[in-house]
Structure formats: C-alpha cells, structure tokens
Amino acid sequence: MTFVPVIPESYSHVLAEFESLDPLLSALRLDSSRLKCTSIAVSRKWLALGSSGGGLNLIQKEGWKHRLFLSHREGAISQVACCLHDDDYVAVATSQGFVVVWELNQERRGKPERIYVSSEHKGRKVTALCWDTAVLRVFVGDHVGKVSAIKLNTSKQAKASAAFVMFPVQTITTVDSCVVQLDYLDGRLLISSLTRSFLCDTEREKFWKIGNKERDGEYGACFFPARCSGGQQPLIFCARPGSRMWEVNFDGEVLSTHQFKKLLSLPPLPVITPRSEPQYDHTIGCSQSLSFPKLLHLSEHCVLTWTEKGIYIFIPQNVQVLLWSEVKDIQDMAVYKNELFCLHLNGKVSHLSLLSVERCVERLLRRSQWDLAARTCCLFQNSIIASKARKTLTVDKLEHLKSQLDLETCSDLISQLDELILKFEPLDSACSSRRSSISSHESFSILDSGIYRIISSRRGSQSDEDSCSLHSQTFSEDERLKEFTLHQEEDQPDQSCGSQENEDNVSHVPVTFETDKNETFLPFGIPLSFRSPSPLMSLQAVKESVSSFVRKTTEKIGTLHASPELKMRSDTRDDDQSCEEEMSLVTCPQEEDIEGGNEITGEPPEGDRFQELTVATAEAMTKMLDPLVLFEPKSLRMVLQEWLSQLEKTFAMKNFVGISDTGNSPMKLNQDVLLLNESKKGILDEDNEKEKRDSLDNKETVDQTACESVISLRKPLDDLFQVCSPCTIANSLQKDLAELTTLCLELNVLNSAIKSTGEHVDHTLQQCSSEILACQFLKKYFFLLDLKRAKESIKLSYTNNPCVWDTFIEGLKEMASSTSIYMEMEEGDLPARLKLLDDSVPFDSPLLIAYATRLYEKFGESALRSLIRFYPYILPSDIMQLCHQNPAQFLAYLDSLVKSRPEDQRSYFLESLLQPESLRLDWLLLAVSHDAPPSTSIMDDEGYPRPHSHLFSWGYSQLILQLIKLPADFTTKEKMTDICRSCGFWPGYLTLCLELERRREAFTNIVYLDDMSLMEGDNGWIPETVEEWKLLLHLVQKKSSSPVPQESLNGNLNDGPSPINTENVALLLAKAMGPDPAWSLLQECGLALELSEKFTRTCDILRIAEKRQRALIQSMLEKCDRFLWSQQP
C-alpha cells in the first residue's frame, strides 16, 4: 500500500462526502438521458430538485425520503428557491418565464396548491430567484435585467376569504444587463448584473450603484450577515475580475478590495469521499486569476464560490483561503449552514459537508470507514496534532482506529498512525508509559455501552506476576477511577496476562456509533426478523461457538482504589491451553480486621454460568420471533421473567469479600464490583438465621424483621451503580442483553421469583413498590440498558415517581463523570458551558440530558431557557422530569420554546409537543396557576367575575390562549373550560364557552365583567337570536338594580372601558337589528322608558342611513340592468 503524503500546512477544514445521492436520483428516474436534474435548492427541511420534464421533487433531508412531486406544464424547471423562514413555501421558475409559488400545506396535512402564478417574465429566461427573509415575498430577475417582486398573502387562515383578490406583482427595477444573482437581507435587495452590482432599499424605494468601476461577465454578490453578539452592520461582498472581492458596507460604500490571486497558488485539498482515496500533490502551481460567477454565504464567517475547476471557500474579512478543492463540471450549487449540494452539468447531484478535520475523522469512525479515516488522519497530521483537535480526537480513538486496520494490506498506514500517536502524545504525559506495554498488535473492541475491551494478541514469555490483569494506576485529572476488563482471544493459547501496580494506564472513552435508521422495529424496539434461518439451527450454532469460546476465556475484575491491595490466586493449566485464572477478589480494609485476615479463596471459572446465560438469551430471542408471544403481553412477560432469573443468577455468581456475616460491617465496595442481587441474598439469609434462634410464635417480630430487611435492602443501593460491565461480553451477546434488559424495564418485569425459606419475607418483599424495584433494576443493570429507550420508558411509566428519573440521571452522571467534558463543564459561566456543550457533545448522545441537569443544578431557570437550543434532542417531557420540584420553571422553558418558533408556526408546534394528549390539561392547569393575579381580585365570593378582571395581566396568557385554541375533543374542551373558570382566566373561559355553544353562560359572565368592548368590534361576542338579546337585556336590568356599586379595575367608576348598561346595550341592539325592531324589543322588555335622548337621536340617524343605503342599492341595480340590456344583440 502506498505511503500517504502529509499536507505541510495546517488546514483546519475539509470537504467530505459521506453518502452518495445517486441511488436517490436513480429512484426518481433523474439519471436517464431523457430526464435529468436542471435546478437545485435547499432549506432546513427540504432538498428541492427541478427536472427537465417540468417536475419538482421535494426530498425530506431527514432520512432522504421523497415526499412531494409538483408538476408544471409551463416547461422545464430553470430555477428553484425555498423559503428559508417558512418551509411550507417554494417558488419555481420555468423555461417559458412563468414563476409559480406553491404552498405545500404540510402543517394541515393537505395537498400542495399553487397560490400564485406570475407571467411578468413570460417569454424571458428567469436567471435568479430570491425570497424575502421576513415576509412571504419572492424577487425574480431575468436575462434582460428586469427585477420584480411577488407579494403573497401572509395569513393562511384568511386565504379562503381572499380567493378573489389578485396578489400584486411589483416591478422593482430594470438594470442594464442580465441579472446574475439576487440576495436579500433586512429590507435590502442586492442585484448583481453582468456590469455592476446594485443595492435597493425595498421599503424606501432607493437605489445605489456599488462602486464606480464596471466589469464584464458573470460575477456574483452576496450579503454577509453580522454576528448576533457583535452588534455590527451586515457587509456585502461583490466579485471582481482577477480573483478579487469588494468589501462593501450596508449603505453601498466600498470599504476595501481583497486580492486572492496569489493565495490560490496552493495545491487543492482532496475531497474526503469513499469513492476514491484522497490524493494530495505538493507541487505549488501558479496564481489563479478567476471569475466568481456566484457568491454564497456559508456557515458563520465564510463565503463560497465555484468555477469550472473547483470549489473555493474564503474567509473574506481576514483575506484567507479556508480551502479549495477540485470538483469539476458544477452547474449550480445550493448551501444550508455547512451543507453543500452541487448540481453537475450531467445532471448528477453530490452532497458535501464542510467540517473540521477532527469532526470529519469522527464521522468516518462512526461509519466504520476505517481505511478512509486512517488516510485522512495521516494526510492532515498537522491539524490532528493541534491542541483543539486533541480534545476531540483522543489517543484512544486513534489506537482503536489502528486496531481495525489489516496488518497485511495497511502496514504503511499503521506505521504512519504510530508516528502520529507519538507526535500526538507528549513524552511526559501520564498515559505515555503504556506505549511500552501495549504494542501495535493489540486491538480494541467497543461494546454497545461504549466501554473499551482490550483484546491482547501478544506472544512471549512473561511471568505470571507480570501478566494477570492490566490496572490503571495514574489517570488524568478529568477521569475518575474505574475498573476495566481484559479479554483474551481463543486463538492465542500461550498468552498470559498479569497485573503490576505501576505498569499500564488505560483510559475509557465512550464512542458513539450510528445505528441503522432503516431497521424496522416492533413495539418496545424488537427487530422484525421473521426471515431468519431456523431457530433451532441458530441456537445450536450459538451453543457450540459459545462453549468453545468460554472454555478458553479468562475474565478478570479489579478495582482501581489506591488504598486496597489486590490478592489473587491463579491455577496454571497445561501448556496446550490458555491459562484460566480465578476471578480477582477485592477486599476493603475494615476497622475490626486490620491485622492479617483469612486467606481469600476464589470461585471456579464462570464459563458454565455465562454459557447458560448465552443459551437462555438465544432461546428468549427465538421465542420472541413467534408473533403469538411477541404480541401477547402475558406470554412475553413470562419469557422475560424466565430469562431475567438466568440473568440474576449469572451476575450473582461471584462472592465479594467485605459483606459481613453479621451485617454490621460497613459496605465500601467499588460500584462496578458490587452486585445487588448478592446483597439481597445475604440480607435474606441473615434474617433466616436470626429467625431460627428467635421465637417463631411472635408474628409481629417476624414482620418487623422482614420490613427491616426491605429497608436495609434499599440502603446500599443509594450510591452504587453498575455503569460498566463487570466482565467482558461479546458484542453480539451485549446487543441481545441490552434488548431484553430494556424490554424488561418497559414491561415492568423488574425481578424474578424470590425464593426464600421464610414465606413472610417473600410476601414483604413482594409488597415493595414498583418505584423501588425500578431503581434497583436500574442500578443493577445500567450497563446493559439501551439508554434512549430506557429514558422514554421511565417518562411514560414513572411520571409520578420522580425518584426513578433521579436514579436514571444519577447513572448517566456517573457514566459521564469519566469524560474530560464533564470536568470542563464545572468551570465558566453559562454561555461558555453551553458553547462547550454545543462543540463537544453530540446532540443525540444519551449523556446530553446529564450535562443539561448539571447546568440546571448550577444556573436554575436561566439554564432551562437556554436548553431550547437542544430541541428535539431534549424534549419538554425531559424538562418536566428535570424540574419536577419547581413546575414554574418548566413553564418558563415551555414558553421560551414556543416563542422561539415563528408566530404562524407556534400553534402547530405546540400541538406536536402534546404527546400524550393528557399533557394539554396538565400544562393548562400549570399555566393558569402560576404568575396569576390574586384570586380575590378576579372573582367574588360567589365565583363570578369582578368587573374588568379580564384585563389583568397573566404571566403566561399567550401560552394559555394557544393551548385553548388548539383542536381537541368535546370532553377535553369542557375540562379546559372548568379549569379556566376555577382559576379566573376569563378571556379563555369566554372563548371556550362560545366554542362549546354555552352562550347563555358566556353572556352572564360578560355582564359581570362590565366591558362593552367584549361585544363590539370584529372579535366581539354579539347575541345572534332574539332570545339571546332578551337574556342580555334581562341580565343588564338585573345588574342595574343591584344596590352594591361595582368598581372598575383601578377602583374608579369613571375610568376604564365603557360599562355594560341599558343605554349601551340598546344602542348595540339598534345597530345590529335596526332601530324599529330594536324599539319593539325594548318595549317588550319594559326598558323603553329608561332610554335617554341619545338613543332616540341615534335611531333617527340609523333610519336616515338605512333609507339612503336602500336608495343607493336601487340605483346601482338599475344601472347594472340597463348595461346588461345594452350588451344584448
């Protein structure tokens, strides 16, 4: 294998292609000679591909799923633009010059519809499309220089009523030549033509020419948004001939000219892709004088362009070339954040990502692309050695990468990685001593839980004392003491392994691997594998392979406490077999047994027990392939109960020194060694011995003893977690164990049948609450659980038992505490820690919630509001559990999360959060119970509203109204109405009453609120029938006869809104029904004598207006009639 050259310069970023879109294009039939892709656009959600046949394919980026196909009869698609602030809109330009704007109706799950078709550029070639960044407006430019704007209706709800209103098309300007590129930002439109660039203020209708010198050719221009924290104005960058750019301020004034001609003389960086090996040519070429046809803003501080030769990414403010790579035949490009989508001249589409070198290597490792990852490391050694990269790409990951390479075919790569590791790790590092003991022939494997397993392949003669087990004696400051396991492979019979106090140092770094997203799962995550080979054949194969494996496997367990001494006893077998050693037993010093203790005796090898667990696991997985078992909860629980008993038996087979017979000695065992079932068994045996000595006739004493045993069972569990596997487990078995263990938690199968000589103890233990059993289960088998599924199960099944959630979080903290990030999170202010979390922790990591908990414990509510950036990886249900002791802080988080969405998307977004539906009532009750006015100010003694109490401010009124307006069933709406009434939130209560047709109840409370504005205006509640008017007049008459005056909001009768009295209601009645019907109804109710002259004058004015209106209508009808008759032949 050829030697990989090293790039001399320290490049920090690289372009990488992790997946090919060719299968997607083939499925869409866009790879044929007749039909190909002609245009491309991208947004947060969509990848839009326009075709030569007039079709627009919308692909959902998450999972690359084809969602929509929009057809156009107006010709092939020449331009596409996605609305970046609203994924529900997309604009398309066709070859005939038509511009079609689509509303996708994804929120309402309806069919896409054309909301406007513009023929303003008919017969011309549309060369540029651009969306407004704030409102629904599309800017269009064509080849003759005309620029127009299409203003759309921004109200989705009012669209039906505005169906006959024509949307206006406004001509912005006409420039002197073809429009090359359009860009828009903060009210200003940037137009780049063949000769110069123009800046347009679309609000004030002002235009500026940028610069004085013209140019000739296709040169792009783009806005460069200012950083949020800088407080600076945005900039503009305009391409100039000779690889130059103008830097322009937001007012169109040229600030400086940047020259990149000489900087582009460096050789191109390779694109990291599985299609080919990365190559780098050290030959420095001549300077490049290029024309940049378009400029695109990329990421935070970069500008991207391309030519027929390659892709160029600049940091223009620093006059630096971040990188340039050869990617030929690019027709067009679309970017979103750090993603690049390239449309090639042959219709192919490639997907590239701009990543730092260390992130690129990490993603290659997660995808198991070992060879490409190793080549990238060797190629970019200067970047890997940099201090920032070392925090992400650790020595252990590089060693794991090296262990995955083939010794025969990748020998050069392995030697280069060895050199890199030596450069990577300083000589005085705490972990450099292991270079002498762990050779390049040692390999690693990673369990599903993220634990490293060292597989030694060394041959040679070492003393038994030097070859029993590896122990880490000196760890870096950011790692906690943790034990590890050493596993020997079957094909190394002469190998021996030992322990030496100051020998080797192995750090454990959890590595996250991506799972197959296409795998189909049944409920509780069981894979559907009905087409697997015969279960009996599979089971027999498992038995044979496991029995052979276990016979030659040694499993060692040790602790890393500095004070305890290890005492081991080993038995040497024949030379033809690998040494099978007894399990190390760990003792903790006790005050009563300081002088020489008894000799420690080990148990026989646990191969048989482990083989039984493997066979039981295979049998359980095979049984669950039967649909009659899988879909029958009772049968499924029986299978899991039987398997769990074998699991408990296997992991309880070790005896641990330090558990006293009398139970009086302190228990100070390492958390990875203590097995909870053994503790339980010791306690029960101890109680049984006491019962034999005591009188069995005293039933109360027996019950008390049993209860004490249950209490004592809980005590050692408080601080002990099994976060690491106590022994080495094969990856295939680990996966099945995780599946079954997680399923046990989901189905509440938390313990097997308890066997004891005392039946009363069994009965008492069976009375333990489910939350205690769940906590014990979590602590015992935390290292086996699928953490993501376990978290969801706890939230659903133990919502009212916060101690289970707290136990789960403590386990995650214990697992995360061994990482350097956890220690770094202890320092700095909240923004610094959030940035560290953003940069260092994958958002899909199960440990993310543990870090979030640490932030909440430190910074409280301000940390919660900041956690909205991690949605949907941290859900509101997680935050509910996180701050269960202070629900008001959850409201602050929920309110901030909803307000972070655009206003027209908040209702849909809030509805998507309400899973399950019961959360709606819980959140509503929470919102109306916190930051609310005093109940005495909004309700009287009888529960009716006080005057003007609906005008009080509520802390979460917007959130409450959004919850109320969401669609729900009748029963839920009634419960919401009762909640609003009991808490005095009158705006929501009135809305729900009228929605539920409880109009009589609504008008009664409106009269008590004494505000005429509630019955006026477009949103006012006006009686619709005569009976409702009579009811309202009766309520007003009853209110006016009340002897107690009702004060307004501020205590003054003359201030505040217009009161509800007979005069005002009569005027409203006259306007709604007409003066004559209103007068008749008032006389019927006996209220005519209470009206003043104002009412009489108003009625006279209404009669005159009515008469004139009738005359005007009559005149218009006559004119229309004469016109129609005149048009007849």
Side-chain angles (χ1 to χ4, degrees), residues 471-485:
H471 287 277
S472 172
Q473 297 295 330
T474 55
F475 275 69
S476 57
E477 293 179 337
D478 55 344
E479 293 183 346
R480 305 183 71 181
L481 294 177
K482 184 179 292 187
E483 64 180 5
F484 68 97
T485 58

Side-chain angles (χ1 to χ4, degrees), residues 588 590-593 658-668:
C588 295
Q590 301 179 11
E591 297 178 358
E592 301 173 358
D593 197 357
I659 303 179
S660 176
D661 293 337
T662 60
N664 296 324
S665 301
M667 302 175 65
K668 300 180 180 178

Side-chain angles (χ1 to χ4, degrees), residues 787-799 801-802 804-806 808-809 812 843-854 856-857 863-864 867-887 889-891 893-894 897 913-916 919 923:
L787 297 179
K788 292 183 179 180
R789 284 173 52 195
K791 184 181 75 170
E792 297 304 318
S793 174
I794 290 170
K795 289 190 296 185
L796 290 175
S797 304
Y798 301 98
T799 306
N801 304 115
V804 181
W805 172 266
D806 293 340
F808 178 73
I809 294 298
L812 291 178
F843 283 3
D844 58 350
S845 170
L847 299 181
L848 181 63
I849 189 65
Y851 295 116
T853 305
R854 294 290 298 146
Y856 170 65
E857 292 170 352
L864 285 184
L867 293 179
I868 62 175
R869 69 176 67 187
F870 299 112
Y871 178 86
Y873 302 99
I874 295 181
L875 296 171
S877 54
D878 301 328
I879 303 298
M880 285 182 67
Q881 297 290 337
L882 193 63
C883 54
H884 57 82
Q885 295 180 348
N886 196 340
Q889 294 182 346
F890 167 73
L891 278 177
Y893 166 83
L894 181 63
L897 180 63
L913 299 178
L914 295 174
Q915 300 296 332
L919 288 178
W923 290 1

